[in-house]
Amino acid sequence: MDSITQATLGAAIGQALLGKKIGGKAAVLGAIVATIPDLDVVLLPLYDSLERISIHRGFSHSILFSILGALLLTYILTRIKWTKHLSVKRLFIFNWLALFTHILLDAFTAYGTQVFLPFSDNRVSFDSINIVDPVYTIPLLIGLVITVYHQSKNKKWSRANHIGLVVSSVYLLFTLVNKEFVSNAIQSDLMASHITYDEMKTIPVGVGSINWYGVAKNKDTLYIGKYSRFKNEAVDFHSFPINNHLLAGVNQRLSERLKWFSQDFYTVAEQDGKIRLYNLQCDMQGVRNYGNYKAPTAFYFEIISHSDSSYELRTGMHKKIKQ
């Protein structure tokens, strides 16, 4: 999820667990701790263009990191004046929840989170909520603000923060149920269009899990179509050849890593002698048409191979042409 949402969730957890002990400082502390996993972006300049795709949401977003990080932060907080009087158990639970819920919340989005590192680099993604969704964030924020503002006057206002946590959590669970409904609807439209496929994904886009993309693929072809919960219309699917043969001459380590990043939902195209790979696992911005050239989405990786077996990996973005 976006940084504001992650900080808000951490602040709400801090307020719920430590608010009665240290007041508004609990929310600030929770926001700081919950933001720590995303500091992995600071390391990106230290890696090459290929390695960068696996650094974000890597070890700092793993279950092991949440435990080790909670232990370290708990030790630090027991040495700070305004938190050292709190029990070690309470501090550990707070730190672990602030870190772990960040990881868990990211796993609900489509980007993928390597929660099992260093034992496995499998990327977990429930694909049920957009990276930015105010429907999840706003109840958290309202409950938190009410509690922090009124807590010194009336202890009963602490319930507002708890209510915000419950409402946001219920909405998060609802997105899983909603996803199942959407998946069934898109599967029905695939069958009605006489499209055979081996695998399918549904990815939410925008606010409120209303609009979705369905991506289905078989051995040679990938199909993509947009679905809306508010429109009673059949999904119009666009087909794209996967073109695996275009990766035959590409560095094997490079091609395998790009496939891993896309969770095998990708298409490959050749333009002006350059190989472009489109990741349909998380980048859903709609089909782009440029004369005879049609792209399944806006963002792409561009591979430039050299005669000495070296390569360059670049990124590009198709601009949407106004009709």
Side-chain angles (χ1 to χ4, degrees):
M1 295 289 285
D2 64 283
S3 298
I4 293 175
T5 299
Q6 293 288 12
T8 303
L9 176 58
I13 290 171
Q15 187 62 36
L17 292 177
L18 307 180
K20 292 182 179 179
K21 304 290 185 178
I22 59 175
K25 293 177 182 178
V28 175
L29 187 58
I32 293 172
V33 174
T35 304
I36 288 175
D38 279 344
L39 294 180
D40 57 5
V41 296
V42 176
L43 302 176
L44 294 182
L46 302 178
Y47 296 88
D48 64 30
S49 54
L50 178 59
E51 293 170 327
R52 287 172 189 164
I53 68 175
S54 57
I55 296 303
H56 184 47
R57 295 201 187 181
F59 181 68
S60 69
H61 285 66
S62 68
I63 296 173
L64 181 60
F65 177 86
S66 72
I67 297 172
L68 296 178
L71 288 171
L72 176 59
L73 290 168
T74 298
Y75 173 79
I76 293 172
L77 291 179
T78 57
R79 298 298 187 271
I80 295 177
K81 181 178 180 180
W82 47 276
T83 52
K84 66 180 182 180
H85 65 283
L86 300 176
S87 71
V88 172
K89 180 180 178 181
R90 181 177 290 271
L91 285 173
F92 176 79
I93 292 173
F94 154 70
N95 285 308
W96 180 75
L97 278 177
L99 293 173
F100 180 72
T101 54
H102 179 124
I103 296 163
L104 182 63
L105 190 54
D106 274 350
F108 274 81
T109 67
Y111 188 91
T113 307
Q114 299 172 72
V115 301
F116 301 116
L117 280 177
F119 311 106
S120 169
D121 66 355
N122 180 55
R123 293 167 60 236
V124 176
S125 55
F126 301 141
D127 308 337
S128 69
I129 190 171
N130 194 38
I131 290 177
V132 179
D133 193 339
V135 178
Y136 176 84
T137 309
I138 289 175
L140 270 179
L141 189 58
I142 292 174
L144 176 65
V145 169
I146 291 174
T147 294
V148 172
Y149 182 76
H150 289 286
Q151 67 177 353
S152 61
K153 302 176 183 178
N154 191 335
K155 298 292 185 182
K156 292 183 179 180
W157 284 103
S158 62
R159 297 175 183 173
N161 184 56
H162 297 152
I163 292 171
L165 281 165
V166 169
V167 170
S168 290
S169 298
V170 169
Y171 172 70
L172 195 61
L173 293 175
F174 160 77
T175 65
L176 294 174
V177 177
N178 186 46
K179 178 182 173 67
E180 186 66 22
F181 177 91
V182 171
S183 297
N184 290 335
I186 291 176
Q187 286 176 336
S188 296
D189 286 343
L190 283 165
M191 292 180 60
S193 299
H194 305 291
I195 295 174
T196 58
Y197 61 95
D198 301 318
E199 296 180 72
M200 187 194 79
K201 273 185 173 289
T202 51
I203 312 293
V205 289
V207 176
S209 298
I210 295 170
N211 296 311
W212 295 69
Y213 275 101
V215 185
K217 70 163 194 168
N218 54 37
K219 182 179 179 181
D220 304 308
T221 308
L222 182 142
Y223 302 89
I224 179 173
K226 192 172 184 178
Y227 171 86
S228 175
R229 290 295 307 268
F230 286 171
K231 294 181 180 179
N232 189 24
E233 299 175 357
V235 177
D236 182 20
F237 293 99
H238 299 262
S239 64
F240 296 87
I242 295 176
N243 288 331
N244 260 320
H245 67 279
L246 293 176
L247 296 175
V250 172
N251 178 283
Q252 185 176 1
R253 173 175 170 267
L254 170 62
S255 63
E256 290 301 320
R257 205 57 181 168
L258 289 176
K259 290 178 182 179
W260 165 85
F261 185 61
S262 65
Q263 296 185 353
D264 283 332
F265 279 82
Y266 64 89
T267 66
V268 188
E270 186 173 11
Q271 181 73 3
D272 301 326
K274 300 171 183 177
I275 304 298
R276 290 176 177 172
L277 185 142
Y278 296 89
N279 176 10
L280 277 303
Q281 183 267 332
C282 65
D283 181 63
M284 311 301 291
Q285 300 185 45
V287 175
R288 298 290 194 265
N289 290 287
Y290 304 92
N292 295 326
Y293 186 82
K294 184 169 76 169
T297 189
F299 178 83
Y300 58 84
F301 291 100
E302 189 169 75
I303 306 166
I304 303 173
S305 299
H306 300 297
S307 57
D308 61 355
S309 298
S310 64
Y311 64 85
E312 293 178 56
L313 180 62
R314 301 175 180 175
T315 57
M317 182 80 71
H318 295 301
K319 294 181 179 179
K320 192 170 186 178
I321 298 176
K322 295 181 179 180
Q323 301 295 328

